Amino acid sequence: MHYSDYLQLDKILNAQQPEGERLGEPAHDEMLFIVIHQAYELWFRQLLYEVDSIIGIFGQPMLNDNSPELQTIVHRLSRCATILKVLVHQIDIMETMTPMDFLDFRDKLRPASGFQSVQFKLLEARLGLKYEHRYGQQYYLSQLRQPEVDRIKSAEAAPTLLELLNKWLERMPSVWTDVDSPAGTGDSWFPDYRQRYQQSLADVEKGNLEYFDSVFSGKTPSSGEAQPSRSLSPLACRSALFIMLYRGYPLLQLPFQVLHQLLEIDEQLSTWRYRHMSMVSRIIGSRIGTGGSTGKDYLASALERHHLFREIAALTSFLIERRRLPALSVEMESRLGFVVAG
Amino acid sequence: MHYSDYLQLDKILNAQQPEGERLGEPAHDEMLFIVIHQAYELWFRQLLYEVDSIIGIFGQPMLNDNSPELQTIVHRLSRCATILKVLVHQIDIMETMTPMDFLDFRDKLRPASGFQSVQFKLLEARLGLKYEHRYGQQYYLSQLRQPEVDRIKSAEAAPTLLELLNKWLERMPSVWTDVDSPAGTGDSWFPDYRQRYQQSLADVEKGNLEYFDSVFSGKTPSSGEAQPSRSLSPLACRSALFIMLYRGYPLLQLPFQVLHQLLEIDEQLSTWRYRHMSMVSRIIGSRIGTGGSTGKDYLASALERHHLFREIAALTSFLIERRRLPALSVEMESRLGFVVAG
Amino acid sequence: MHYSDYLQLDKILNAQQPEGERLGEPAHDEMLFIVIHQAYELWFRQLLYEVDSIIGIFGQPMLNDNSPELQTIVHRLSRCATILKVLVHQIDIMETMTPMDFLDFRDKLRPASGFQSVQFKLLEARLGLKYEHRYGQQYYLSQLRQPEVDRIKSAEAAPTLLELLNKWLERMPSVWTDVDSPAGTGDSWFPDYRQRYQQSLADVEKGNLEYFDSVFSGKTPSSGEAQPSRSLSPLACRSALFIMLYRGYPLLQLPFQVLHQLLEIDEQLSTWRYRHMSMVSRIIGSRIGTGGSTGKDYLASALERHHLFREIAALTSFLIERRRLPALSVEMESRLGFVVAG
Amino acid sequence: MHYSDYLQLDKILNAQQPEGERLGEPAHDEMLFIVIHQAYELWFRQLLYEVDSIIGIFGQPMLNDNSPELQTIVHRLSRCATILKVLVHQIDIMETMTPMDFLDFRDKLRPASGFQSVQFKLLEARLGLKYEHRYGQQYYLSQLRQPEVDRIKSAEAAPTLLELLNKWLERMPSVWTDVDSPAGTGDSWFPDYRQRYQQSLADVEKGNLEYFDSVFSGKTPSSGEAQPSRSLSPLACRSALFIMLYRGYPLLQLPFQVLHQLLEIDEQLSTWRYRHMSMVSRIIGSRIGTGGSTGKDYLASALERHHLFREIAALTSFLIERRRLPALSVEMESRLGFVVAG
């Protein structure tokens, strides 16, 4: 076993063929352009590998909330976030290419474009982005070849991380999440919490209770406004809220880490999108009037729309201070792992 | 001279008085909240110090384009960008504070808010942000004390970096920037360039020529649309364009670095704003209905509006390929420093 | 409550008095020198605050291995590592100061020196560095004032994080760590593991068993070589080994995170020392023959000696493959949290 | 032209074949191990490409000190430093692999090893590292295949960056570097500087003058100690010193940037080596007694020995304060670009 055979370096290091050289008009920076995109694709491959393994574990019907599998999920999500941080940093390298240097070979690449990265679209799809929520659907389709479109559609059709997360949250014990028993009876925690949340609202915030009820009970607000379609059910949101509030209990530590790492990934992905957009705008500029949305416009819109776990992040608005939390019953505490019998 | 006296550590290390402790309800993470904001303010102080020194040099009537002063400007702009990168990274530390940990002391700080950082507003003002271009003017005024408003207004009234940049660009030799002589006569470079730019446009892009003329000649586009007010004059834009295109000539190397570093600062500032916004949204959430714009909305709007040097960045759209550039006359080349006599 | 009062910005922003200005020979970069050292000291204050809080929790006689307190320890250790990463990055800012710029005010600071940072020495002492293990003791004493020496000595005298870690590891259940029962009886895990480790050794590695026994059983190697004094007892090392090997079990997840974060801190501290050393050498150079060790030599030696948790890191050498691990008895598994009754 | 064809993604994304899978004992983390090494190799390819282009320019006999070529060199050196920073950061990803996870597939890779990276050795060789200065020559040869050894030897035999740098520095105008004319005559700058340096030395530093003379005049110190062989000649060192001291002059700005970027590269390379060493030690540990130096020992020694541009960094010790510098003659100033006629 030799290092270069093991890594198949004959393939990796012989896959750089600048168009400029082929056409007899070499441009020094084209090599950088090729290498950095290849490095991105290598890391997208790794991200897909990790996300697929996480989906595989999440899809098991009996995932125990304190099993080593959950720890493995947290570990791999955290690795994805670490990779994404390096990918953000990598943009610094691209920015050493000035606009004039890019112009030297830009026309030769047309119409190839980063929008054609199938792996990146697969990654978004596996995490949970659906075609109908994508920004610029028409443009998106026009950039891909049919087999690639099929591959992405089939990734969307399989259970995504977001859907499995929703199901996993819905499976949590009902005592955390029941909405029915009256507040104060101790049979259920949620009605009590709702009451305390209501009390925490200042006068100008009273309207928030409707928002609270629409998120956690699925009630249509009195305004009758159509709700945007949501990825997490009211039941799943009640679980996630409970986890955030009582994360100190042993049984909730790993579930909290799962939510935390998903937010971390979302933030790194969105930082990447933001810096990528700035970089494109800086190096390419925007030729207005090319008969379609400019690159920058597309990227700016996608930035906002493709934030996959924003419903988890939004729960932050419904937290109340620790000292005002409902005390848990002995039975619940025991279940959560603090009251250890002999 | 002793280290701790020199650094006045008695002041620096005795300036942390958590409200929680004072009120008998200590919250562990309040110390982090204080220390990180103080660290930011220290660095804002340094940034102001550097920017003021740069403005001082830029304001000199006879700044020679190849003098050590210009090198000093580049060096200090680059330092500002380096500081801003660390400030972006520093947000990672703030993000180790979870929403629940922040809730433990959040109410005690009201109505203190990061919007009240005078130094950050001074920094924006010194760089070139005018009150009339600020997003949320009403809110902005309501957060500051009168002496602070006065201080910022006076910073706005003094020549800003953006204004001095405009003047400096306008002072460049007229042979680079004259619009009058007919293309091809060699007396002036610009008409020739405009012709070549026009030729570079694909059919669908033809409309861009109007945009080109509005930027570089101040002509109102045929649509008659009101132009947004601009910070850089057509003359200054022609200079900046010339510098970008011919940056290889000795005399243009430092001017190019000036433009490059300003874009770098703008990008780091805007990355900071973006990550700051995400962090606020993640830790604080948004309580809808508090009778005003939420923190996140304010930050999202400011993000777009406060991009100070975007007019420089936008020039990228008007570059053409190096091999299609007009050749410079011997006289011009000599002036730019390549034809060295004896 | 106003932002600038809350943060005591009157103190923080009025604590910069360059010597150059006072003496009428202003040097532009002295402000940077002051501000960056103050920023470091602010963060050292925060690190001490976190480490002290961790020591406070660790010092509790009955720290339950799955309590929220352990989660708090992991969270705060992880915060310390995040802060240290920013401190490493911050060196980039210092490196924007060239040697010539530093020379402009260097002599005015003498004999003030970064070695005089009491907080950094306190931090090392609280983590576990003892005076007798410090490199360059004489030099170290000569740089500090007596009250500072007293303060550090008293920090060394109190239980350090390293000592408390040792005690906490020693308190783990004896079934993981007993050395006495014969391998294979199932009463104890360690003799079985030792046997498997021995089997894993290739012929040329056979000597490692002696090293294994010296670490885990305190036996003097046959060479009779004096062992360097160790911070972790054989009993504590057996616990740490067990935690590393079986980290997937619920009860061991947080203990594993504790060990992991300590290594992370150690690595960041040592990266900081390394880059600090390079930076000093690059900006200051080394004037040979100044009658003492040069700054760089001191830093290089301290780098190796002040690695506090290296005994944990060294346990890596004694791990064997997961598939060859001894299976745990049902009783042990139950204790570790997998066999959950109904 | 399609994105995936242009980037030859069929090669890049089909070059990952974990040994574990092949042998029916899959280990999840082996994919990461492969991908990260491939990413490193891609970037080494890019670094070699940049360094070779720089060597190509440096090797031109008439490289003008203010030509666009020099600017190109600075730009590409700076890009190399940016890439190296990302490579340092990338170690964070590798560190998400725990020792136990690595053990799951480690044995299957033997004897493949990172020491077998030909590209990294080529990079060191092109920069200037000679076989006779390498640490662990025997080990080094034993790890490589003959054609690889030949390739590296031939890279060493061609003019290296360090050698070309030396020649370029030696070509600087003699008026900066002559040692012969008596101090104060103005015919030469160096004797005057030597005198001022001598005056700047405190009593305990007097011995430094011998060190000064050995570096800048090649004189054997009175101790008669054999000097370690040096890469930069005394003449080249005098040029470099002059450039550092008078970097503000137009003609010296780019040469100063060249030196600065080389130090930056050296620092990033050495930080990479340091963190790589820590990572190896943390993940692999050190099995003592494997019949050779352990990985960590090798890396620690290479760290110090392979610092290629340390002779430039060491010049810092010979700088004196700006206000004590010899004034340059009008003739010299004119040559350096400040006295501009008309």
Side-chain angles (χ1 to χ4, degrees):
Chain A
M1 175 72 55
H2 193 277
Y3 177 84
S4 65
D5 301 331
Y6 177 60
L7 298 177
Q8 302 192 39
L9 294 186
D10 53 331
K11 286 189 195 167
I12 297 289
L13 302 179
N14 288 301
Q16 294 79 30
Q17 174 58 56
E19 277 298 289
E21 277 178 25
R22 204 175 58 83
L23 300 169
E25 285 186 326
H28 178 82
D29 280 13
E30 192 181 353
M31 180 62 85
L32 177 68
F33 190 81
I34 293 173
V35 165
I36 196 168
H37 279 91
Q38 290 175 334
Y40 272 116
E41 291 291 336
L42 274 180
W43 286 117
F44 292 159
R45 177 149 177 31
Q46 183 66 31
L47 287 170
L48 276 168
Y49 180 78
E50 300 292 351
V51 168
D52 280 346
S53 83
I54 292 162
I55 285 176
I57 300 172
F58 247 131
Q60 292 166 18
M62 294 301 293
L63 177 64
N64 185 310
D65 293 332
N66 215 8
S67 72
E69 278 81 21
L70 208 56
Q71 195 194 27
T72 300
I73 287 177
V74 169
H75 186 72
R76 292 182 186 167
L77 288 173
S78 160
R79 173 179 290 167
C80 290
T82 302
I83 292 173
L84 287 167
K85 281 183 190 176
V86 171
L87 298 193
V88 169
H89 189 176
Q90 215 161 264
I91 292 176
D92 284 5
I93 301 178
M94 185 61 115
E95 287 182 342
T96 65
M97 194 168 72
T98 67
M100 287 300 286
D101 293 327
F102 182 48
L103 270 178
D104 279 348
F105 61 95
R106 179 183 174 187
D107 281 345
K108 301 191 180 68
L109 312 189
R110 293 211 172 140
S113 141
F115 295 116
Q116 296 170 340
S117 170
V118 175
Q119 286 200 121
F120 190 73
K121 288 182 168 41
L122 280 175
L123 181 63
E124 290 180 320
R126 298 304 286 134
L127 290 174
L129 185 63
K130 298 291 185 187
Y131 176 70
E132 58 266 30
H133 297 124
R134 280 192 189 272
Y135 177 78
Q137 299 166 5
Q138 205 55 34
Y139 182 64
Y140 159 80
L141 284 187
S142 72
Q143 293 292 306
L144 298 170
R145 300 189 269 210
Q146 195 54 44
E148 295 167 345
V149 173
D150 295 343
R151 211 172 142 209
I152 299 169
K153 295 230 155 162
S154 109
E156 286 172 0
T160 67
L161 183 55
L162 187 50
E163 288 163 352
L164 291 169
L165 175 77
N166 187 60
K167 278 195 186 154
W168 172 70
L169 286 169
E170 288 183 337
R171 279 200 308 269
M172 301 273 162
S174 62
V175 71
W176 308 350
T177 54
D178 266 3
V179 293
D180 297 327
S181 40
T185 66
D187 287 344
S188 167
W189 163 89
F190 183 76
D192 199 0
Y193 187 78
R194 183 182 177 280
Q195 207 166 63
R196 285 161 190 261
Y197 172 74
Q198 186 172 17
Q199 283 156 8
S200 83
L201 294 172
D203 277 352
V204 291
E205 299 173 319
K206 289 299 178 199
N208 284 1
L209 194 64
E210 273 202 357
Y211 182 40
F212 183 97
D213 286 338
S214 82
V215 169
F216 294 111
S217 309
K219 291 191 187 136
T220 312
S222 59
S223 70
E225 263 182 70
Q227 289 270 86
S229 81
R230 292 179 56 88
S231 307
L232 297 182
S233 70
L235 176 54
C237 287
R238 294 198 296 276
S239 277
L241 181 69
F242 190 86
I243 291 167
M244 285 178 169
L245 291 167
Y246 298 96
R247 67 167 200 254
Y249 286 90
L251 203 66
L252 300 183
Q253 292 171 353
L254 285 174
F256 177 74
Q257 285 302 318
V258 170
L259 299 181
H260 179 78
Q261 292 299 337
L262 288 171
L263 293 184
E264 191 68 26
I265 285 174
D266 227 18
E267 179 170 340
Q268 293 303 330
L269 260 177
S270 98
T271 301
W272 186 82
R273 285 198 190 92
Y274 183 73
R275 287 215 49 204
H276 180 249
M277 176 186 76
S278 303
M279 181 268 290
V280 165
S281 144
R282 188 167 155 188
I283 296 182
I284 305 190
S286 53
R287 290 221 163 188
I288 291 173
T290 47
S293 70
T294 62
K296 186 179 170 181
D297 289 342
Y298 173 86
L299 293 170
S301 302
L303 181 62
E304 186 61 25
R305 294 275 288 270
H306 296 182
H307 236 282
L308 285 166
F309 301 102
R310 61 180 171 277
E311 293 176 25
I312 297 173
L315 297 181
T316 300
S317 304
F318 303 115
L319 302 176
I320 65 173
E321 292 171 77
R322 228 179 300 241
R323 86 200 80 173
R324 298 188 202 283
L325 286 181
L328 299 185
S329 65
V330 175
E331 190 202 334
M332 282 179 86
E333 286 219 314
S334 138
R335 195 151 178 182
L336 290 166
F338 268 174
V339 184
V340 182
Chain B
M1 175 73 54
H2 193 276
Y3 177 82
S4 66
D5 301 332
Y6 177 60
L7 298 177
Q8 304 193 38
L9 294 185
D10 53 330
K11 285 188 195 168
I12 297 290
L13 301 179
N14 287 300
Q16 294 78 29
Q17 174 59 55
E19 276 298 289
E21 276 179 25
R22 205 176 57 83
L23 300 169
E25 284 185 325
H28 178 83
D29 279 13
E30 192 181 353
M31 180 63 84
L32 176 68
F33 190 82
I34 293 173
V35 165
I36 197 170
H37 280 90
Q38 289 175 336
Y40 272 116
E41 290 291 335
L42 275 179
W43 285 118
F44 292 159
R45 179 153 176 27
Q46 183 66 30
L47 286 169
L48 276 169
Y49 180 79
E50 300 292 352
V51 167
D52 280 345
S53 84
I54 292 162
I55 286 176
I57 300 172
F58 247 130
Q60 292 167 19
M62 294 302 292
L63 178 64
N64 186 311
D65 293 332
N66 216 9
S67 72
E69 277 82 23
L70 209 55
Q71 195 196 26
T72 301
I73 287 177
V74 169
H75 185 72
R76 292 182 188 168
L77 287 173
S78 159
R79 173 178 291 167
C80 290
T82 302
I83 292 173
L84 286 167
K85 281 183 190 176
V86 172
L87 298 193
V88 169
H89 189 177
Q90 213 163 266
I91 292 177
D92 283 4
I93 302 178
M94 185 61 116
E95 288 182 341
T96 64
M97 193 168 74
T98 67
M100 286 301 285
D101 293 328
F102 182 48
L103 271 178
D104 280 348
F105 62 95
R106 179 183 175 187
D107 282 345
K108 299 190 181 69
L109 311 189
R110 295 215 167 131
S113 142
F115 295 115
Q116 296 170 340
S117 170
V118 176
Q119 286 200 121
F120 190 72
K121 287 181 169 40
L122 280 174
L123 181 62
E124 291 180 320
R126 298 305 286 136
L127 290 174
L129 184 63
K130 296 292 185 188
Y131 176 71
E132 58 266 30
H133 296 125
R134 281 191 187 272
Y135 176 78
Q137 298 167 4
Q138 204 56 35
Y139 181 65
Y140 159 80
L141 283 187
S142 74
Q143 292 292 306
L144 298 170
R145 299 188 271 211
Q146 195 53 45
E148 295 167 345
V149 173
D150 294 345
R151 211 172 142 208
I152 299 168
K153 295 229 153 163
S154 110
E156 286 171 1
T160 68
L161 183 54
L162 187 50
E163 288 164 352
L164 291 168
L165 175 78
N166 187 59
K167 278 196 186 154
W168 172 69
L169 286 169
E170 288 182 338
R171 279 201 306 270
M172 302 273 163
S174 62
V175 71
W176 309 349
T177 55
D178 265 3
V179 292
D180 296 329
S181 39
T185 65
D187 289 343
S188 169
W189 161 90
F190 184 77
D192 199 359
Y193 187 78
R194 181 181 178 281
Q195 207 165 64
R196 286 161 190 260
Y197 173 74
Q198 185 172 18
Q199 285 156 6
S200 82
L201 293 173
D203 277 353
V204 292
E205 298 173 320
K206 288 297 180 204
N208 284 1
L209 193 64
E210 274 203 355
Y211 181 40
F212 183 97
D213 286 337
S214 83
V215 168
F216 293 112
S217 308
K219 292 192 188 135
T220 312
S222 59
S223 70
E225 262 184 70
Q227 288 270 85
S229 81
R230 291 180 57 86
S231 305
L232 297 182
S233 70
L235 176 55
C237 287
R238 295 198 296 276
S239 278
L241 182 69
F242 190 86
I243 290 166
M244 285 177 170
L245 291 166
Y246 299 96
R247 68 166 199 255
Y249 287 90
L251 204 65
L252 299 182
Q253 292 172 350
L254 285 175
F256 177 73
Q257 285 300 318
V258 170
L259 299 180
H260 179 77
Q261 291 300 336
L262 288 172
L263 293 183
E264 189 69 28
I265 286 174
D266 228 17
E267 178 169 341
Q268 293 303 329
L269 259 178
S270 100
T271 301
W272 186 82
R273 284 198 191 94
Y274 184 72
R275 285 214 50 204
H276 180 248
M277 177 186 75
S278 303
M279 180 268 291
V280 164
S281 144
R282 186 167 157 191
I283 296 183
I284 305 191
S286 53
R287 291 219 162 188
I288 289 173
T290 48
S293 70
T294 63
K296 188 181 169 180
D297 288 342
Y298 173 85
L299 293 170
S301 303
L303 182 61
E304 187 59 26
R305 295 274 289 271
H306 296 182
H307 236 283
L308 285 165
F309 301 102
R310 61 179 172 275
E311 293 175 25
I312 298 173
L315 297 180
T316 300
S317 305
F318 303 115
L319 302 176
I320 64 173
E321 291 172 77
R322 229 179 299 242
R323 85 199 79 170
R324 299 188 201 285
L325 286 181
L328 300 185
S329 65
V330 175
E331 190 203 335
M332 280 178 88
E333 286 219 314
S334 140
R335 193 151 181 181
L336 290 167
F338 269 172
V339 185
V340 182
Chain C
M1 175 74 57
H2 193 277
Y3 177 84
S4 65
D5 300 332
Y6 177 60
L7 298 177
Q8 304 192 38
L9 295 185
D10 54 330
K11 285 188 195 169
I12 297 291
L13 302 179
N14 288 301
Q16 294 78 29
Q17 174 59 56
E19 277 298 290
E21 278 178 24
R22 204 175 59 81
L23 300 169
E25 286 185 325
H28 178 83
D29 280 13
E30 192 181 354
M31 180 63 84
L32 176 68
F33 190 82
I34 293 173
V35 165
I36 198 169
H37 280 90
Q38 290 175 336
Y40 272 117
E41 291 291 335
L42 274 179
W43 286 117
F44 292 159
R45 178 152 177 29
Q46 182 66 31
L47 287 170
L48 276 169
Y49 180 78
E50 300 293 352
V51 168
D52 281 346
S53 84
I54 291 162
I55 286 176
I57 300 172
F58 247 131
Q60 292 167 19
M62 295 300 293
L63 178 64
N64 185 310
D65 293 332
N66 216 8
S67 72
E69 276 82 21
L70 208 56
Q71 195 195 28
T72 301
I73 286 177
V74 169
H75 185 72
R76 292 184 187 166
L77 287 173
S78 159
R79 173 178 292 166
C80 290
T82 302
I83 292 173
L84 286 167
K85 281 183 191 177
V86 172
L87 298 193
V88 169
H89 189 177
Q90 213 162 264
I91 292 177
D92 284 4
I93 302 178
M94 185 62 115
E95 288 182 342
T96 65
M97 194 168 73
T98 66
M100 286 301 285
D101 293 328
F102 182 48
L103 271 178
D104 279 347
F105 61 94
R106 179 183 175 188
D107 281 345
K108 300 191 181 68
L109 312 189
R110 294 218 170 128
S113 143
F115 296 116
Q116 296 170 342
S117 170
V118 175
Q119 286 199 123
F120 190 73
K121 288 181 168 43
L122 280 175
L123 181 62
E124 291 179 320
R126 299 304 287 136
L127 289 174
L129 184 63
K130 298 292 187 187
Y131 176 71
E132 58 265 32
H133 297 124
R134 279 191 189 273
Y135 176 78
Q137 299 167 4
Q138 204 57 34
Y139 182 64
Y140 159 79
L141 284 186
S142 74
Q143 293 291 306
L144 298 170
R145 300 188 270 209
Q146 194 55 43
E148 295 168 345
V149 173
D150 295 345
R151 211 172 142 206
I152 298 169
K153 296 228 153 162
S154 109
E156 287 172 359
T160 67
L161 183 54
L162 187 50
E163 288 163 352
L164 291 168
L165 175 78
N166 188 59
K167 279 196 185 153
W168 172 69
L169 286 169
E170 289 183 335
R171 278 201 306 269
M172 301 273 162
S174 61
V175 71
W176 308 349
T177 53
D178 266 4
V179 292
D180 297 327
S181 40
T185 65
D187 289 342
S188 169
W189 162 91
F190 183 77
D192 199 2
Y193 185 79
R194 182 180 177 281
Q195 208 166 62
R196 286 161 190 262
Y197 172 74
Q198 185 172 17
Q199 284 156 7
S200 82
L201 294 172
D203 277 353
V204 291
E205 299 173 319
K206 289 299 179 200
N208 284 1
L209 194 65
E210 273 201 358
Y211 182 40
F212 183 97
D213 286 337
S214 83
V215 168
F216 295 111
S217 308
K219 290 187 190 139
T220 311
S222 59
S223 70
E225 259 183 72
Q227 289 270 85
S229 82
R230 291 179 56 88
S231 305
L232 297 182
S233 71
L235 175 56
C237 287
R238 295 197 296 275
S239 278
L241 181 69
F242 189 87
I243 291 167
M244 285 177 169
L245 292 166
Y246 298 97
R247 67 165 199 255
Y249 286 90
L251 203 65
L252 300 182
Q253 292 170 353
L254 285 175
F256 177 73
Q257 285 301 319
V258 169
L259 299 180
H260 179 77
Q261 291 300 337
L262 288 172
L263 292 184
E264 190 68 27
I265 286 175
D266 228 18
E267 179 171 340
Q268 293 303 330
L269 259 178
S270 99
T271 302
W272 186 82
R273 284 198 190 93
Y274 184 73
R275 287 216 47 204
H276 180 249
M277 176 186 76
S278 303
M279 181 267 291
V280 164
S281 145
R282 187 168 157 190
I283 296 182
I284 305 191
S286 53
R287 291 220 161 189
I288 290 172
T290 47
S293 71
T294 63
K296 187 177 172 182
D297 290 342
Y298 172 86
L299 293 170
S301 302
L303 183 60
E304 186 60 26
R305 295 275 289 271
H306 296 182
H307 236 281
L308 285 166
F309 301 103
R310 62 181 171 274
E311 293 176 26
I312 297 173
L315 297 181
T316 299
S317 305
F318 302 114
L319 302 176
I320 66 174
E321 291 172 78
R322 229 179 299 242
R323 85 200 80 174
R324 298 188 202 284
L325 285 182
L328 299 186
S329 64
V330 175
E331 190 201 334
M332 280 178 87
E333 285 219 314
S334 139
R335 197 152 176 179
L336 290 166
F338 268 172
V339 185
V340 182
Chain D
M1 174 73 56
H2 193 276
Y3 177 84
S4 64
D5 301 331
Y6 177 60
L7 298 177
Q8 304 193 37
L9 294 185
D10 54 330
K11 284 188 196 168
I12 297 289
L13 301 179
N14 288 300
Q16 294 78 30
Q17 174 58 55
E19 276 298 289
E21 277 179 24
R22 205 175 58 82
L23 300 170
E25 284 185 326
H28 178 83
D29 279 14
E30 192 181 353
M31 181 63 84
L32 176 69
F33 190 81
I34 293 173
V35 166
I36 197 168
H37 280 90
Q38 289 175 336
Y40 273 116
E41 290 291 335
L42 275 179
W43 286 117
F44 293 159
R45 177 150 176 30
Q46 183 65 31
L47 286 169
L48 276 168
Y49 180 78
E50 300 292 352
V51 167
D52 280 346
S53 83
I54 292 163
I55 285 176
I57 301 172
F58 248 131
Q60 292 166 19
M62 294 300 293
L63 177 64
N64 185 311
D65 293 332
N66 216 9
S67 73
E69 278 81 21
L70 208 55
Q71 195 195 25
T72 300
I73 288 177
V74 168
H75 185 71
R76 292 181 187 167
L77 288 173
S78 159
R79 173 177 291 167
C80 290
T82 302
I83 292 173
L84 287 167
K85 281 183 191 177
V86 172
L87 297 192
V88 169
H89 189 176
Q90 213 163 265
I91 292 176
D92 284 4
I93 302 178
M94 185 60 116
E95 288 183 341
T96 65
M97 195 169 72
T98 66
M100 287 301 286
D101 293 328
F102 183 47
L103 270 178
D104 280 348
F105 61 96
R106 179 182 174 187
D107 280 346
K108 301 190 181 68
L109 312 189
R110 295 212 170 135
S113 143
F115 295 116
Q116 296 170 341
S117 169
V118 175
Q119 286 199 120
F120 190 72
K121 288 182 168 39
L122 280 175
L123 181 62
E124 291 179 320
R126 298 305 287 134
L127 290 174
L129 185 63
K130 297 292 186 186
Y131 176 71
E132 59 265 31
H133 296 124
R134 280 192 188 272
Y135 177 78
Q137 299 166 5
Q138 203 56 34
Y139 181 65
Y140 159 81
L141 284 186
S142 74
Q143 294 291 305
L144 298 170
R145 298 189 270 209
Q146 194 55 42
E148 295 167 345
V149 172
D150 294 344
R151 210 172 142 209
I152 298 168
K153 296 230 154 163
S154 110
E156 286 172 1
T160 67
L161 183 54
L162 186 51
E163 288 164 352
L164 291 168
L165 174 78
N166 188 60
K167 278 196 186 153
W168 171 70
L169 286 169
E170 288 182 337
R171 279 201 306 270
M172 301 274 161
S174 62
V175 71
W176 309 349
T177 54
D178 265 4
V179 292
D180 294 330
S181 40
T185 65
D187 289 344
S188 167
W189 162 90
F190 183 76
D192 199 358
Y193 186 77
R194 181 182 178 281
Q195 205 167 62
R196 287 163 190 260
Y197 173 73
Q198 184 172 19
Q199 283 157 8
S200 82
L201 295 172
D203 277 352
V204 291
E205 299 173 320
K206 288 298 178 201
N208 284 1
L209 194 63
E210 275 201 356
Y211 182 40
F212 183 98
D213 286 337
S214 82
V215 168
F216 295 110
S217 308
K219 293 191 187 136
T220 312
S222 59
S223 69
E225 262 183 70
Q227 288 271 85
S229 81
R230 291 180 56 88
S231 306
L232 298 182
S233 71
L235 175 55
C237 287
R238 293 197 297 275
S239 277
L241 181 69
F242 190 86
I243 291 167
M244 285 177 170
L245 292 167
Y246 299 97
R247 67 166 200 257
Y249 286 90
L251 203 65
L252 300 182
Q253 292 171 352
L254 285 175
F256 177 74
Q257 285 301 318
V258 170
L259 299 180
H260 179 77
Q261 292 299 337
L262 288 172
L263 292 184
E264 191 67 27
I265 286 174
D266 227 18
E267 179 169 341
Q268 294 302 329
L269 259 178
S270 99
T271 302
W272 186 82
R273 284 197 191 94
Y274 184 74
R275 284 214 52 202
H276 180 249
M277 175 186 76
S278 302
M279 181 268 289
V280 165
S281 144
R282 187 168 156 189
I283 297 183
I284 305 191
S286 53
R287 291 219 162 188
I288 290 174
T290 47
S293 71
T294 63
K296 188 179 169 180
D297 289 342
Y298 172 85
L299 294 170
S301 301
L303 181 60
E304 186 60 26
R305 294 274 288 270
H306 297 182
H307 235 282
L308 286 165
F309 302 101
R310 61 180 172 275
E311 293 176 25
I312 297 173
L315 297 181
T316 300
S317 305
F318 302 114
L319 303 176
I320 66 173
E321 291 172 75
R322 226 177 301 241
R323 89 201 79 174
R324 299 188 202 284
L325 286 181
L328 300 186
S329 65
V330 175
E331 190 202 334
M332 281 178 87
E333 286 219 313
S334 139
R335 195 153 179 179
L336 290 167
F338 268 172
V339 185
V340 182

